[in-house]
């Protein structure tokens, strides 16, 4: 089973994705974490990504597509995975569709984390105090929200045509939201 968690930055994708992955015993593929690790290790990919990441811009598809392909091709992800933080662009969505399609698979559920913009900004600003992520500055937060609306939100319509998009109210406790997700996917 392949489940995509889609939502604006700060909408709780990572938190719910982790819970879901553990419950279903599936690997979670998180492009943000992969990029952060690459940056920390100063790999060529990390060095390239950093120019965009710190400002809150998307790392270009030329960098990210290969990484996504490698992750989906890993043996652990052969029968299912939780996708967190990608696809974020039309080209990434095409790659995911094509890679799974060639294996006779497809995305089964899209969970759309629905949180108001005020709440998103509040959460990311609070997180900045704790984690000090370079992309949690006010400017980078504004950029990330804009880019989400421009590049990623259109994917909702693409998947909605297939009838696999479920809107998850993203406010409430972590447990409440987890229970709602369990109800939606039926396990
Ligand atoms: P958030 O959803 O809060 O923005 P992420 O960890 O998912 O947190 O992403 C942080 C940053 O990592 C993004 O702003 C972008 O620079 C980069 N990034 C993560 N995933 C992708 C992706 N699929 N394509 C391009 N850039 C990405």
């Amino acid at each position: 089973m392949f489940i995509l968690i889609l939502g604006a930055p700060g909408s709780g994708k990572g938190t719910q994705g982790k819970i879901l992955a553990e419950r279903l015993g599936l690997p979670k593929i998180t492009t943000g974490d992969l990029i952060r690790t690459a940056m920390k290790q100063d790999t060529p990919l990390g060095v390239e990504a950093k120019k965009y990441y710190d400002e809150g811009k998307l790392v270009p598809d030329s960098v990210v597509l290969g990484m996504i392909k490698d992750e989906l091709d890993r043996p652990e992800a052969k029968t299912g995975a939780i996708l967190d933080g990608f696809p974020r662009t039309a080209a990434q969505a095409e790659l995911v569709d094509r890679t799974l399609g060639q294996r006779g698979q497809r995305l089964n559920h899209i969970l759309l984390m629905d949180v108001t913009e005020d709440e998103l900004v509040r959460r990311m600003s609070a997180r900045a105090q704790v984690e000090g992520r370079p992309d949690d500055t006010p400017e980078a937060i504004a950029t990330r929200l804009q880019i989400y609306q421009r590049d990623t939100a259109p994917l909702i319509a693409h998947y909605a045509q297939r009838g696999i998009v479920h809107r998850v109210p993203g406010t409430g406790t972590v447990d409440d939201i987890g229970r709602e997700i369990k109800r939606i996917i039926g396990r």
Side-chain angles (χ1 to χ4, degrees):
M1 160 143 38
F2 290 86
I3 300 175
L4 162 58
I5 308 193
L6 194 62
S11 61
K13 301 185 297 283
T15 304
Q16 291 300 331
K18 182 163 181 282
I19 293 171
L20 193 56
E22 280 166 11
R23 190 171 75 236
L24 300 181
L26 290 174
K28 178 160 89 87
I29 307 174
T30 307
T31 43
D33 286 349
L34 294 165
I35 292 168
R36 279 183 286 275
T37 302
M39 290 192 305
K40 215 178 284 167
Q41 297 173 343
D42 271 331
T43 66
L45 190 154
V47 172
E48 180 63 16
K50 191 162 173 52
K51 300 179 204 163
Y52 303 89
Y53 182 99
D54 286 358
E55 288 182 30
K57 294 182 180 156
L58 288 188
V59 178
D61 282 335
S62 56
V63 178
V64 174
L65 289 176
M67 190 177 83
I68 291 176
K69 179 95 180 92
D70 289 348
E71 288 299 313
L72 289 175
D73 284 344
R74 286 161 72 99
E76 303 91 294
K78 280 288 174 230
T79 56
I82 309 294
L83 279 46
D84 168 13
F86 78 100
R88 250 176 161 93
T89 64
Q92 292 177 20
E94 275 163 34
L95 176 72
V96 171
D97 287 347
R98 191 167 63 242
T99 305
L100 296 183
Q102 283 164 352
R103 291 155 33 174
Q105 297 168 324
R106 60 190 171 81
L107 287 174
N108 302 92
H109 300 286
I110 318 276
L111 300 172
L112 177 60
M113 306 300 291
D114 195 8
V115 178
T116 63
E117 188 145 328
D118 283 352
E119 173 69 10
L120 295 172
V121 173
R122 205 189 54 71
R123 286 186 192 175
M124 282 189 277
S125 309
R127 184 171 70 185
Q129 314 279 322
V130 184
E131 294 179 15
R133 257 172 63 164
D135 61 338
D136 276 344
T137 62
E139 299 75 28
I141 288 173
T143 303
R144 283 156 66 206
L145 289 170
Q146 270 167 16
I147 290 180
Y148 173 76
Q149 289 304 337
R150 191 190 69 192
D151 294 341
T152 307
L155 300 181
I156 300 165
H158 166 77
Y159 291 122
Q161 290 172 351
R162 294 191 220 164
I164 54 173
V165 177
H166 315 275
R167 197 169 285 271
V168 181
T171 30
T173 67
V174 170
D175 284 350
D176 289 341
I177 299 167
R179 261 192 300 275
E180 178 63 11
I181 290 176
K182 193 170 180 179
R183 192 189 64 75
I184 288 170
I185 64 173
R187 54 187 277 210

